[in-house]
Amino acid sequence: MPQADIAWATVESVGKVPKLDGGNQTVPRVRAAQYVRMSTEHQTYSIDNQADAIRDYADIMAYDIVATYEDLGRSGLNLGGRPGLQKLLADVESGRADFETVVVYDVSRWGRFQNIDESAAYEYRCQMAGVRIEFCAEQFANDGSIGSDVLKAIKRSMAAEQSRMLSQKVFIGQARLIRLGFRQGGKAAFGLRRLLVDQHGRSKGILSSHEYKSQQTDRIVLVLGPPDEIATVKWIFSHFVRTRKTELEMARLLNKRGVLSDLRRPWTRESVHSVLTNENYIGNSVWNKHSARLRSHQVRNPPEQWVRVENVLEPIVDRKLFDRAQIVLKTIYRHMTNDEMLAALRALLARRGALSLAMIDADPGCPPAQRYQWRFGTIVKAYELIGYEPSKNYRFIGVNRHLESMRLQIIRDLVGAIDKQGGVAAHDMAMDLLRINEEITVAITMGRCRVSGFGYPRWFSKADKRPLPDIFVLIRMNPGDLTVRDYLIAPAHEIAGKSELHAINGIPLDSYIFPTLNPIVRLAEREPVGGVAWQSSAYPRTPPTVRWKRVATDMRAILLLAH
């Protein structure tokens, strides 16, 4: 078509788009959102690259990008840990979304779910709410046609397969570093420390707990720890072999001597066992005893899959003493069949009349509770096999542990977000309170979702925490307790005494429902006070210094402003 036949129509907020009829009609705009994700900061699909491609696509399609949902440094293997996608789904399904379509760079950015039906399910939820998903970099239109559906399914499978291939490559690389004598994994055992070295092997210092390397070329090796811990390790092995005391008795002796474990806690049977079976103390490195690839459940690998390297660090214990300790362990704790383990559990039940993890661990005639969990999958399953019916709450132990882990991760993410805004936040583990700027205390609890017989969700809160915090946060879960629905963020005195919440609680209470924890982050922002923006009867002019922005007497006002 000749250039002269193309007319240009001015479009509000974007510029011009070509019109082929030569008329003067304005092109209708479509409100759209964009979703961007990257797993690591070193990824080819950077957030900026995705946003640029989406912006070009939006210009062509006459879309106005009115909202952005992003997951920075988040894996695409599952929905957990992806607050951006969770918020997108929540906004779409709740009716808060003021857009008609969501533009994503490609299928892999939507997710690398190992079950491709999961990826389709999240897209289907958006479609049912009247919001369509478009992939701007794919060579097919996501229009529901047979061709596009087939190509999309192939792309989802390719995205999942790429994650599996990458996982295998990472495993091979980690195994190679282990064979070279470097450390992979978590914290060092009792009596050992992690030493950071550069690519030439030069020391860069001992890493403290929760400290990690910052450069890819750096490596970590294990070295000997403080002399008093080394002496304790030697005493544990020699005393265990000489006296043949059980691990539980050894733990009691260590606690009586006032010695703390590597976690700075009293010793337990499990912590003593971890010392007696750790080959690091004879200079060996053993890796891949357990694995949890692609965010799956952790599994215990057979010994033939372990990666063992000898003489990678200075030994603390003589090899002969270590081997004798393993023989004593096998003698004291001979391998028990399933029937023998269950018989020991029945005998304990007959003596005590009830069972608990503490009872099992404290009884010398029973294997540790963790061994029952390994053998039978869960401790509740072992209870069922001997005909013991635990309390109803006991069945929720696994779910509660998962929710507690999620809660702590949310708190850590919130602390990081507050730090980025210039605030100071710390989690007081003793009081289980988040302290913000040394002024505001926040209690954060999980709200498990209970569905009534009529299909209505309910949440139970623990808002009567003593001492009463300034702000109470209830993380309301979706049915199934796998994903977050929303957050109740309210002054504690407003919610005190309300133990049960429903989907609709009335305007006074529902005004405190938020899709994210951004209101808490905004409470921690630092800004100069004394300028024009804060001159009022409630905030009189102060000296031109920087102080924390907060409303000390009425948290309700701040929370309402955050809506």
Side-chain angles (χ1 to χ4, degrees), residues 407 432 443-447 461-462 465 472-476:
R407 185 182 76 93
D432 196 18
I444 301 178
T445 64
M446 302 296 292
S461 69
K462 299 178 181 178
K465 187 180 182 69
F472 175 78
V473 176
L474 179 68
I475 305 171
R476 300 203 306 179

Side-chain angles (χ1 to χ4, degrees), residues 43-335:
Q43 199 171 37
T44 303
Y45 296 110
S46 73
I47 295 297
D48 291 338
N49 289 344
Q50 294 176 55
D52 289 344
I54 291 173
R55 183 173 58 252
D56 293 341
Y57 178 83
D59 289 344
I60 295 173
M61 301 299 293
Y63 290 171
D64 285 333
I65 302 298
V66 298
T68 298
Y69 299 88
E70 59 182 26
D71 284 318
L72 307 181
R74 302 289 182 171
S75 170
L77 292 172
N78 51 41
L79 185 63
R82 292 172 65 181
L85 184 55
Q86 291 180 18
K87 185 177 185 300
L88 169 60
L89 293 173
D91 288 350
V92 168
E93 294 182 317
S94 65
R96 292 191 297 264
D98 61 344
F99 44 82
E100 303 175 27
T101 186
V102 176
V103 183
V104 188
Y105 181 76
D106 63 12
V107 172
S108 69
R109 296 304 90 199
W110 184 251
R112 298 185 183 276
F113 304 100
Q114 296 304 291
N115 185 339
I116 63 174
D117 290 340
E118 184 178 359
S119 177
Y122 299 136
E123 183 177 340
Y124 179 75
R125 286 166 59 178
C126 293
Q127 290 175 351
M128 288 298 96
V131 176
R132 64 183 181 273
I133 307 298
E134 298 183 16
F135 304 103
C136 68
E138 299 291 2
Q139 300 302 309
F140 61 86
N142 194 18
D143 55 4
S145 64
I146 295 177
S148 71
D149 287 347
V150 170
L151 287 174
K152 187 164 53 175
I154 294 173
K155 287 284 189 175
R156 287 170 178 158
S157 297
M158 291 172 61
E161 179 61 23
Q162 185 174 354
S163 290
R164 288 190 286 269
M165 293 173 59
L166 180 60
S167 173
Q168 182 62 22
K169 291 179 180 179
V170 170
F171 176 83
I172 294 173
Q174 290 178 322
R176 176 180 175 273
L177 291 176
I178 288 292
R179 295 187 178 97
L180 292 175
F182 297 116
R183 171 75 172 178
Q184 294 288 311
K187 65 188 303 296
F190 182 80
L192 299 173
R193 293 295 185 270
R194 297 176 301 146
L195 175 67
L196 183 66
V197 298
D198 63 16
Q199 58 184 332
H200 303 294
R202 292 188 292 262
S203 172
K204 298 180 69 173
I206 298 292
L207 293 176
S208 301
S209 180
H210 305 298
E211 287 186 346
Y212 307 95
K213 67 175 188 177
S214 58
Q215 298 183 9
Q216 285 189 323
T217 55
D218 288 346
R219 296 289 179 258
I220 296 174
V221 296
L222 288 179
V223 294
L224 299 185
D228 58 332
E229 292 188 11
I230 295 175
T232 299
V233 172
K234 292 180 177 179
W235 179 86
I236 290 174
F237 276 92
S238 61
H239 194 76
F240 176 74
V241 170
R242 186 176 67 256
T243 64
R244 293 180 173 244
K245 291 183 178 295
T246 66
E247 294 165 336
L248 183 60
E249 292 172 327
M250 292 291 296
R252 289 170 177 168
L253 285 175
L254 288 165
N255 293 333
K256 189 175 181 179
R257 296 174 60 171
V259 179
L260 295 178
S261 69
D262 54 327
L263 299 177
R264 313 309 299 169
R265 301 173 184 169
W267 289 82
T268 63
R269 175 160 57 178
E270 288 74 19
S271 56
V272 173
H273 181 80
S274 67
V275 170
L276 292 173
T277 58
N278 193 338
E279 292 190 32
N280 287 158
Y281 298 124
I282 56 174
N284 294 350
S285 176
V286 183
W287 182 72
N288 198 40
K289 285 187 174 183
H290 302 84
S291 61
R293 295 192 185 184
L294 299 174
R295 302 296 180 92
S296 60
H297 294 294
Q298 188 179 77
V299 297
R300 188 179 180 89
N301 296 322
E304 57 268 20
Q305 294 184 9
W306 298 357
V307 180
R308 177 183 280 105
V309 186
E310 298 184 353
N311 303 318
V312 296
L313 70 153
E314 183 180 348
I316 295 178
V317 177
D318 180 73
R319 184 178 293 270
K320 292 182 179 179
L321 180 61
F322 183 87
D323 291 340
R324 289 174 61 190
Q326 307 316 301
I327 295 173
V328 173
L329 282 172
K330 292 180 180 179
T331 303
I332 297 177
Y333 303 106
R334 66 179 179 84
H335 177 77

